[in-house]
Amino acid sequence: EIVMTQSPATLSVSPGERATLSCRASQSVTSNLAWYQHKPGQAPRLLIHGASTRATGIPARFSGSGSGTEFNLTISSLQSEDFAVYYCQQYNNWAGTFGQGTKVEIK
Amino acid sequence: QVQLQESGPGLVKPSQTLSLTCTVSGASISSGGYYWSWIRQHPGKGLEWIGYIYSSGITYYSPSLKSRVTISQDTSKNQFSLKLSSVTAADTAVFYCASTYCGGDCYPHLFDSWGQGALVTVSS
């Protein structure tokens, strides 16, 4: 099983600031990496797939980078609606595994 | 845009069978190219894929749960369902249904739409 490790567990950021979230895979997943946003009581939302391709309707302030084992999600200027938990997920191999999540909270 | 909504009992007794239904709108579950999945999240833990049913009715389950899981579909109601047998407290989780549409390159575990989730507690 490919283990996905996210850091940090919690990120405290002021509105308008930049946030960078990291995700590491225990072995290469090429570019088959997705990021999801999850707010309490809501359905998780696909943000990024293919490591860097924004899903339909996702604002340009969200960007993804990386390949192989190291990936980042950057939110260029945090808006109030961006405070949430973010999960990375590899879908390169069987079953697709998720990271434990990074909570982005208001500083 | 596909929308999904989970429903079912919020409390199940140990050793019994957990049953959940996902109602789909915005797409037909029998339309080609769609995978319909169940995913769970234990309290304070990460997300775990349980299994999926393809629009043709073919199913695939996580090896760790395969002996206890059944996913089925009801095309007349545009729903698909999860049954997890012999539950224990360790099966307490929020259960999500999700969909994947494969229009070109196909990655069944890339979930483009999700339901809001249903908390199921296993307790006597």
Side-chain angles (χ1 to χ4, degrees):
Chain A
E1 176 182 303
I2 298 177
V3 177
M4 307 301 292
T5 303
Q6 291 186 242
S7 62
T10 303
L11 187 61
S12 298
V13 186
S14 298
E17 288 188 342
R18 181 186 188 93
T20 299
L21 290 66
S22 296
C23 176
R24 173 177 292 179
S26 60
Q27 65 189 75
S28 177
V29 298
T30 63
S31 293
N32 292 325
L33 189 285
W35 290 94
Y36 300 87
Q37 178 192 66
H38 192 198
K39 299 178 184 179
Q42 296 188 19
R45 180 170 70 149
L46 176 65
L47 296 177
I48 301 284
H49 60 91
S52 61
T53 302
R54 280 188 300 276
T56 303
I58 301 304
R61 64 180 181 272
F62 292 92
S63 62
S65 62
S67 66
T69 62
E70 301 282 345
F71 301 88
N72 287 328
L73 173 70
T74 299
I75 311 171
S76 59
S77 176
L78 269 155
Q79 307 297 302
S80 58
E81 62 267 30
D82 300 335
F83 293 97
V85 178
Y86 292 84
Y87 294 97
C88 66
Q89 181 221 5
Q90 68 81 17
Y91 52 93
N92 191 58
N93 83 340
W94 174 247
T97 47
F98 293 85
Q100 294 293 98
T102 291
K103 181 180 181 181
V104 177
E105 64 176 24
I106 300 174
K107 188 174 182 180
Chain B
Q1 177 75 1
V2 177
Q3 294 185 313
L4 306 102
Q5 180 66 57
E6 305 87 352
S7 60
L11 181 64
V12 180
K13 289 182 167 50
S15 80
Q16 293 189 343
T17 296
L18 178 159
S19 296
L20 291 171
T21 296
C22 183
T23 300
V24 178
S25 58
S28 169
I29 64 167
S30 57
S31 293
Y34 280 98
Y35 291 80
W36 307 99
S37 285
W38 286 98
I39 297 158
R40 68 178 180 179
Q41 184 171 32
H42 295 103
K45 304 287 187 181
L47 294 152
E48 176 189 18
W49 174 76
I50 298 169
Y52 63 61
I53 186 165
Y54 184 55
S55 49
S56 65
I58 294 172
T59 54
Y60 239 153
Y61 304 132
S62 169
S64 64
L65 295 168
K66 185 177 181 179
S67 63
R68 299 195 291 134
V69 171
T70 302
I71 297 176
S72 60
Q73 61 184 14
D74 184 338
T75 56
S76 67
K77 296 181 180 179
N78 215 39
Q79 296 175 333
F80 63 105
S81 298
L82 169 71
K83 291 188 185 299
L84 182 65
S85 63
S86 305
V87 297
T88 69
D91 292 308
T92 294
V94 176
F95 288 78
Y96 297 93
C97 55
S99 67
T100 301
Y101 178 66
C102 288
D105 289 343
C106 189
Y107 298 98
H109 299 93
L110 176 58
F111 309 111
D112 42 45
S113 295
W114 297 62
Q116 292 185 323
L119 173 62
V120 180
T121 301
V122 179
S123 175
S124 56

